[in-house]
Amino acid sequence: MTPEPEALTPLGWDEGFAESWTAALDDLDHRWRDLARPARVVRVDRGVCTVLGGDGEQRARVSLPATVRQSTEGQPAVGDWAAVAPAEAGDELASLVGLLPRRSAFTRRAAGRETVEQVVASNIDVVFVVVPLTGRQRLRTIERYLAVAWQSGAQPVIVLTKADLCPDVAEAVQEVESVAFGVPVVPLSVRLGEGIEALYEHLLPGRTVSLVGASGVGKSTLVNHLYGKDRQATQEIRGDGKGRHTTTHRELVPMPDGSLLIDTPGMRALGAWDIEEGLQQAFGDVEQLADECRFGDCTHQGEPGCAVNAAVDAGDLSGDRVANWEKLQREQQRLELQQDSRARAEEHKRIRARQRALNRRPHR
Ligand SMILES: Nc1nc2c(ncn2[C@@H]2O[C@H](COP(=O)(O)OP(=O)(O)OP(=O)(O)O)[C@@H](O)[C@H]2O)c(=O)[nH]1
Ligand SMILES: [Mg+2]
């Protein structure tokens, strides 16, 4: 079925997605091919998604084949474009029967012991990395978020909230700019209504912006301000400065100005998933120096001819920044090892299951 672009363009649909749609239709079960329409996933609950499309908002049961559902790509995420078939007679729910490939995605390592990837927001054009101007130690957090944001394929913007609580905003901004390397840095205060206009150039009709950051940094407060009224619940932070994890669902919110915001629950930790390219972009300066070290396998632990150490000694590069870069690299290496061992464990499970099935077969 050919989708009606006029109804979908405000939701971010474009020619690229239209092409993926044509290809995706071929993969759909023949039952759905004439019935399915594209719609954007705006919220995901257990097994049921809220989708927005030409027919307005609908609730849709996830009806993807088990083989598809096993992969991260096969689990609907907020921001995804999906193929949705209308509810059958007597059923309240429509059916989500296919997913289009993601153009960009902010992903992280899911909290918990298992080594699995979690998609925080998909098909995003811009990531607002939201960090408050209260407290100290924000640079290392920003570096980590920037690496993940660059990897996502979207354009990062650093949003520094609660400027009203910061005694020297200019100094704080300058400090942040020293790790931003050209990424826009926007200080603002929703309480005073100041600085917010600098975000407007990123909030364009049909463009998707995801807000990410820790709990209590003011993501939902900013969404409400931009929306023009309270839509998202917000809550005072605790006495120790930590947030209360007020937002519990990722949600895509169409704004009155036509942009699309994805509000997300505050993250306790942003465990990096695959961020190899993101690291190269976020730490371009350090990586470039590392290329200039005398030894190709320099560990920057005091070897002769180490350009990274030389820059730190000369005061041109922060030692803490280098330590953070190394920490993220170690995290990457650990992740790769865990992925390998997980892949091996799964292969082992498959072989044992096949063996058991063979053993169960009656002997002739
Ligand atoms: N002083 C000041 N407080 C702010 C500002 N913006 C937000 N806050 C306060 O920060 C607290 C937390 O804001 P939320 O918007 O709930 O934070 P959040 O990032 O959505 O938090 P989670 O949903 O838990 O991830 C609230 O009490 C807000 O009023 C600001 O510009 N200045
Ligand atoms: Mg919130």
Side-chain angles (χ1 to χ4, degrees):
M1 192 78 189
T2 321
E4 325 80 85
E6 350 28 280
L8 302 177
T9 313
L11 296 168
W13 186 260
D14 60 19
E15 272 180 30
F17 287 120
E19 273 171 34
S20 320
W21 175 258
T22 313
L25 274 186
D26 290 340
D27 293 338
L28 278 191
D29 189 300
H30 65 90
R31 282 178 296 167
W32 307 124
R33 266 180 224 162
D34 289 338
L35 293 171
R37 303 268 193 290
R40 195 128 190 229
V41 176
V42 296
R43 182 176 163 136
V44 180
D45 295 286
R46 266 170 210 282
V48 178
C49 294
T50 309
V51 298
L52 203 52
D55 304 327
E57 195 171 287
Q58 298 181 80
R59 302 256 294 150
R61 186 182 296 114
V62 180
S63 311
L64 296 165
T67 44
V68 174
R69 267 186 282 131
Q70 272 157 10
S71 65
T72 316
E73 293 79 35
Q75 289 167 24
V78 170
D80 275 347
W81 278 102
V84 176
E88 289 173 359
D91 194 350
E92 278 179 15
L93 298 175
S95 297
L96 189 155
V97 295
L99 287 171
L100 301 196
R102 292 177 185 129
R103 187 181 292 171
S104 61
F106 189 97
T107 69
R108 66 162 182 163
R109 185 188 166 138
R113 284 170 60 199
E114 265 202 88
T115 314
V116 283
E117 183 182 17
Q118 183 185 63
V119 178
V120 174
S122 131
N123 297 323
I124 44 178
D125 300 295
V126 177
V127 181
F128 283 174
V129 174
V130 186
V131 181
L133 280 168
T134 50
R136 302 205 60 78
Q137 299 295 337
R138 61 186 74 90
L139 299 190
R140 308 288 85 84
T141 307
I142 291 175
E143 285 170 345
R144 175 177 285 264
Y145 272 89
L146 279 184
V148 180
W150 278 123
Q151 184 77 32
S152 75
Q155 189 68 37
V157 173
I158 302 168
V159 177
L160 301 174
T161 54
K162 312 194 188 184
D164 52 290
L165 299 178
C166 177
D168 193 341
V169 176
E171 189 194 10
V173 168
Q174 209 176 22
E175 206 183 34
V176 171
E177 278 173 343
S178 74
V179 300
F181 291 91
V183 172
V185 180
V186 179
L188 55 82
S189 164
V190 173
R191 186 151 295 174
L192 303 178
E194 283 176 9
I196 297 145
E197 59 290 345
L199 296 180
Y200 294 158
E201 64 177 289
H202 307 289
L203 301 169
L204 303 172
R207 301 252 293 171
T208 308
V209 179
S210 178
L211 294 94
V212 296
S215 177
V217 298
K219 300 178 294 298
S220 301
T221 305
L222 182 57
V223 171
N224 285 342
H225 183 87
L226 295 167
Y227 194 77
K229 62 176 183 219
D230 284 356
R231 190 187 184 285
Q232 302 290 96
T234 63
Q235 204 178 175
E236 286 289 324
I237 56 174
R238 305 186 323 199
D240 61 4
K242 295 218 166 96
R244 295 177 192 269
H245 293 276
T246 309
T247 305
T248 52
H249 275 88
R250 297 185 268 273
E251 190 170 354
L252 186 146
V253 185
M255 289 282 131
D257 67 7
S259 62
L260 305 150
L261 290 196
I262 300 181
D263 191 8
T264 65
M267 296 185 212
R268 282 195 179 81
L270 175 60
W273 191 250
D274 173 16
I275 54 161
E276 205 177 321
E277 287 128 51
L279 273 177
Q280 278 169 17
Q281 267 175 295
F283 290 91
D285 55 333
V286 189
E287 302 238 348
Q288 204 178 343
L289 283 167
D291 283 344
E292 291 166 18
C293 291
R294 186 178 310 159
F295 303 117
D297 59 353
C298 185
T299 62
H300 325 297
Q301 305 292 328
E303 289 101 322
C306 173
V308 174
N309 288 164
V312 174
D313 290 344
D316 296 336
L317 178 64
S318 141
D320 288 345
R321 178 167 168 81
V322 175
N324 204 23
W325 171 66
E326 287 174 332
K327 187 173 171 199
L328 283 160
Q329 276 181 330
R330 279 197 302 277
E331 222 172 287
Q332 278 295 280
Q333 284 153 3
R334 244 192 339 265
L335 178 75
E336 279 162 28
L337 286 175
Q338 282 164 340
Q339 278 173 310
D340 279 356
S341 71
R342 187 169 177 222
R344 274 200 304 276
E346 270 166 16
E347 179 61 16
H348 187 66
K349 223 157 75 185
R350 263 198 300 277
I351 292 171
R352 289 215 356 217
R354 207 159 50 220
Q355 204 68 49
R356 273 201 301 273
L358 283 174
N359 290 345
R360 272 201 301 273
R361 269 208 323 218
H363 295 285
R364 287 174 208 216

